Amino acid sequence: MPDKLMTLREAIATYVEDGMTVALEGFSHLIPFAAAHEIIRQGRRDLTLCRMTPDIISDQLIAADCVSKLVASFFASGSAGSLYEIRRRIESHDPVALEVEEYSHYGMVCRYQAGAAGLPFFPLRSYAGSDLPRINPNIRLVEDPFSGGSVYVVPPLNPDVTIIHAQRADRSGNVQIWGIAGVQQEAVYAAKKAIVVVEEIVDDDVIRSDPSRTLVPSHAVDAV
């Protein structure tokens, strides 16, 4: 298997370019802080940032002028308080307006699932009674070919690059994750390229000894 190990600086320089659509996914202990900070250090511009829960790293990327569009759901920063930069951009257009494409949490999951599976759209019922279809034209109501009723659909999401954080991987890119896994697997498979930042590089036999933890296999990973 090819060796995909590189420094974080090399991975961002190689796979993240200005104008790209970049997904940074992971909750709690799996938030890819280091990758976001490296994107800021390298001064990337005009990115479309995809993140299911825009949080403090989203706020930092926007404040650093790395992001011109946000595709997201559930705006929150936990105990860190309000998302001050995002609020300034949306509420006051200060210093410039931020383009936002908003979905529900499950809507974002469905977009990644559609992107990973190569589907043209993904159906879901949870937008019934919601105002989100009114403000987001990409959430559309279509006829159900089986029941004759109608159902909302969302388009696939295929980032240019997905970046996730995980506990460990081998040098080939077999990635093991435990805890709240979220949508990392779908986001990686939906992307054209994938970077995984890990806390530990382990030998192949460690990965093989506990295969159920391998959520992202090497064939889906470009850099570790």
Side-chain angles (χ1 to χ4, degrees), residues 5-197:
L5 188 64
M6 61 178 66
T7 67
L8 182 55
R9 181 178 181 181
E10 291 171 333
I12 298 301
T14 301
Y15 293 109
V16 180
E17 300 177 5
D18 292 356
M20 279 188 167
T21 296
V22 179
L24 293 170
E25 289 300 351
F27 298 117
S28 185
H29 61 302
L30 299 174
I31 298 173
F33 277 99
H37 294 162
E38 184 59 31
I39 290 171
I40 292 171
R41 277 193 291 270
Q42 294 195 19
R44 293 295 180 266
R45 293 290 181 267
D46 196 29
L47 300 177
T48 294
L49 173 63
C50 306
R51 180 145 174 77
M52 282 185 60
T53 305
D55 51 7
I56 193 167
I57 63 168
S58 306
D59 225 31
Q60 291 171 345
L61 284 161
I62 292 165
D65 287 327
C66 298
V67 175
S68 59
K69 180 179 179 180
L70 180 63
V71 179
S73 61
F74 190 68
F75 294 64
S77 195
S79 59
S82 181
L83 297 169
Y84 296 107
E85 185 64 24
I86 290 177
R87 290 190 62 179
R88 276 194 294 269
R89 300 286 179 115
I90 294 174
E91 295 173 0
S92 305
H93 297 178
D94 177 20
V96 295
L98 174 68
E99 183 180 356
V100 175
E101 189 176 315
E102 185 177 0
Y103 297 86
S104 64
H105 241 27
Y106 184 54
M108 286 288 288
V109 173
C110 290
R111 291 201 66 196
Y112 282 125
Q113 286 182 315
L119 296 172
F121 56 80
F122 204 99
L124 66 165
R125 293 195 179 280
S126 57
Y127 286 123
S130 167
D131 283 335
L132 279 175
R134 180 176 56 82
I135 65 172
N136 185 346
N138 283 327
I139 302 170
R140 301 181 185 179
L141 197 63
V142 301
E143 182 180 348
D144 179 346
F146 296 102
S147 72
S150 58
V151 64
Y152 281 102
V153 297
V154 292
L157 180 52
N158 294 106
D160 292 302
V161 59
T162 287
I163 304 171
I164 64 170
H165 182 91
Q167 281 95 341
R168 67 188 182 195
D170 61 22
R171 300 177 72 94
S172 299
N174 292 296
V175 180
Q176 296 196 329
I177 299 174
W178 53 94
I180 303 173
V183 76
Q184 287 96 312
Q185 186 183 67
E186 293 88 345
V188 165
Y189 272 107
K192 298 171 185 175
K193 300 290 182 180
I195 300 170
V196 181
V197 184

